[in-house]
Amino acid sequence: MIDIETDVLVLGGGPAGTWAAVSAAAGGARVVLVDKARCGSSGPSAFGSTTVWNIPPGAARNEAVRRSHAHGGHLGDPDSMHRVLDETHKRIEQLVGWGYRLPDDARAGAQRVRLDGAGYLRRMRRTVIEAGVRVLDHHPALQLLRDGDGVVSGAAGVRQHNGFPSWTVRAGAVVVATGGCAFLSGGAGTDVATGDGLLLAAEAGARLSGMEFSSAYGLAPASHAMTPAMHPSFAPGLALHSAVLYDESGAVFEGDRHAVFAAIADGRRVFASVADMPEAVRHWLTRQGAVDRSGRVSLRAVLEGTVRGTGGLALAGPDGATTVAGLFGAGDAVSREPIMGAVSGFGGQSGAWAIASGVWAGAGAVRFARTRSAVGAVRPVPGAGLASRARIDPRAIVGLVQEHTLPLRRSYWRSAGSLRDSIAELDAMWPGAAFDLGGSGADRLRARQAAALLAVARWTKHSALARTETRGMHRRTDHPDAGAEWRVRLTSGGLDSVWVGTERLRRVTSEPPSAVLGPAVVRGQVPVGLEPAPTPQEAPVIIPDRRESDLTPPDRLAM
């Protein structure tokens, strides 16, 4: 058994997790990073280009924030957007200083920087190691630890090799950067995006926010599964973004993707012309056998859930703290409503948020850890799917979850009838998942993953039922219009009994005051007013001691 004591523990080795680890190390903390796969080479970002919002101060940034706030259904926060842009602009320059080479168009002043995901994460892994962070690959976390006062004080899990030995890391603070949940839909790199961190945090009492905004879909080749060999430009759908799409009759789809998804839902075949794709992607698809004799690629809809949605853990402050003491969040594991509102962050907001939130959470975790005395006795937070002997097959849980999440008519379009049907079946399955899932070794991991998928699905369905309007990616066929009274955020939580509540937004001064304060609270929850955010402390400067070299770590990041 591995038993480690450290200052800050980071769960997750994607962009947000690596930035959090480097930020915490730059603050002088001892840092351990654990990843359920391999830090720097797993997750959606490793399988494609990552677009980052990167606009210098000035009129162009102000206009971009104004447009983003309006596009997000006015659920975002312009101050948070400016803060993210300030942080990202500094960190992109820092990334270049570490030796990462940006594409030429980024140096010409473009408002978005496109990073090669695999190269970006390789650079971040090197920087993490150079910072003196201890990295434990293939060490999924199964439970959080807390002390006698209920403060989160580490995590416990297993190593995926050599007999699945257990590990425990006791820490002064924990950062959850485990990504979102795509419900095992088959999107590139989303095999690890199963909502594990959301379940861990919720079991400790954390709140979530924006879980109704979990219905983001992408397009992928219908005849080819996403694999590590997939061309990096194709994985996130960038190659399809400008491609001409048409149906089996040859009719071209104009405008947005609603008509495309409607055709797929009706059983019609949809194609993309490879003639409109970059040459490298076209050749790769041809080699994979995905291109037919007419030069077309048949497409399918892929649910990307909260990975490209906005829902996640609710943050309690600007330093990445969640609503649970000692627990911080970053990246797709937390709600991105402040910068994205009700829409996807495909335009670079998600990439920027991963960087900024990682830096803030890492620095915040260090400050919190320093307020504590040495971590003493800890105990694991009770969790679902951890029975010593399995009495239910996790595949049954996963199958039910996918039945109620993956189809377009379950998630892309919603109605009270379909949502209540899903809620009834998913809620009825929870007691069995909580107490009858389990086992040892690999079975234990699969059981825990199934429990997480079920928990996330329930939060998304309950939240979607509560928001009786259409806003952003949340589409209600029985409530097709947006309501002024719904310019609020929905919080949620609970496991045995899911609850949904409302949180009023801080009014943007350029907007007229609304005469309606918000909808009634759902299921007896007390509304929580959004307090003015305190002025954040300056994040530490992150300065590695070398550019590109080998992976031999120095004792500490040069300060």
Side-chain angles (χ1 to χ4, degrees), residues 2 9-14 32-43 47 125 134-142 156-169 191-192 196 228 441-442 445:
I2 301 174
L9 170 63
V10 178
L11 307 180
V32 173
L33 183 153
V34 300
D35 195 296
K36 69 186 293 186
R38 185 178 187 274
C39 168
S41 60
S42 63
F47 290 81
R125 180 182 174 92
R134 182 172 181 177
V135 177
L136 301 178
D137 293 320
H138 306 288
H139 282 64
L142 297 180
V158 295
R159 181 181 178 182
Q160 293 198 58
H161 303 296
N162 301 324
F164 291 85
S166 60
W167 59 261
T168 298
V169 177
D191 57 314
V192 296
D196 306 348
L445 294 181

Side-chain angles (χ1 to χ4, degrees), residues 42 86 110 114 117 170 225 315 320 347 376 418 437-438 476 529:
S42 63
D86 283 338
R114 184 170 295 176
R170 288 170 289 123
L315 295 183
S418 67
L437 280 172
R476 286 286 296 265

Side-chain angles (χ1 to χ4, degrees), residues 375-391:
V375 176
V378 296
R379 64 185 187 277
V381 176
L386 294 171
S388 59
R389 185 171 62 88
R391 290 181 290 273

Side-chain angles (χ1 to χ4, degrees), residues 68-334:
S68 184
H69 183 242
H71 183 56
H74 299 279
L75 294 188
D77 175 31
D79 290 345
S80 295
M81 298 179 196
H82 279 289
R83 185 171 172 241
V84 167
L85 284 165
D86 283 338
E87 191 68 60
T88 304
H89 195 60
K90 291 187 297 185
R91 301 306 174 184
I92 288 295
E93 292 180 356
Q94 203 161 44
L95 187 63
V96 173
W98 293 342
Y100 183 85
R101 183 174 180 177
L102 296 177
D104 293 336
D105 58 351
R107 301 178 185 275
Q111 293 191 357
R112 293 173 178 82
V113 176
R114 184 170 295 176
L115 309 177
D116 168 60
Y120 170 37
L121 285 178
R122 283 196 301 269
R123 176 63 264 179
M124 290 306 300
R125 180 182 174 92
R126 291 189 181 100
T127 304
V128 165
I129 294 174
E130 290 167 0
V133 176
R134 182 172 181 177
V135 177
L136 301 178
D137 293 320
H138 306 288
H139 282 64
L142 297 180
Q143 291 174 280
L144 291 177
L145 306 176
R146 57 187 172 197
D147 65 11
D149 296 324
V151 179
V152 171
S153 304
V158 295
R159 181 181 178 182
Q160 293 198 58
H161 303 296
N162 301 324
F164 291 85
S166 60
W167 59 261
T168 298
V169 177
R170 288 170 289 123
V174 176
V175 178
V176 176
T178 51
C181 181
F183 302 103
L184 296 178
S185 60
T190 60
D191 57 314
V192 296
T194 52
D196 306 348
L198 302 185
L199 178 60
L200 287 170
E203 288 170 341
R207 290 189 303 156
L208 300 101
S209 181
M211 295 303 288
E212 69 273 31
F213 303 121
S214 56
S215 53
Y217 278 82
L219 294 170
S223 59
H224 184 77
M226 298 294 188
T227 70
M230 175 149 285
H231 192 278
S233 299
F234 198 89
L238 293 175
L240 297 176
H241 197 61
S242 58
V244 174
L245 306 181
Y246 50 93
D247 66 13
E248 51 205 350
S249 69
V252 175
F253 293 101
E254 304 288 352
D256 56 36
R257 296 290 175 85
H258 298 312
V260 175
F261 292 130
I264 294 175
D266 288 338
R268 294 156 56 195
R269 298 183 67 189
V270 172
F271 301 90
S273 172
V274 296
D276 303 303
M277 298 180 188
E279 182 178 0
V281 178
R282 185 167 64 249
H283 289 167
W284 181 87
L285 288 169
T286 301
R287 290 196 303 270
Q288 297 299 317
V291 182
D292 65 17
R293 295 179 179 178
S294 301
R296 308 175 304 177
V297 177
S298 180
L299 304 176
R300 63 188 176 98
V302 178
L303 177 63
E304 295 173 324
T306 68
V307 172
R308 201 156 61 83
T310 67
L313 298 173
L315 295 183
D319 61 351
T322 69
T323 55
V324 175
L327 187 64
F328 294 75
D332 292 350
V334 301

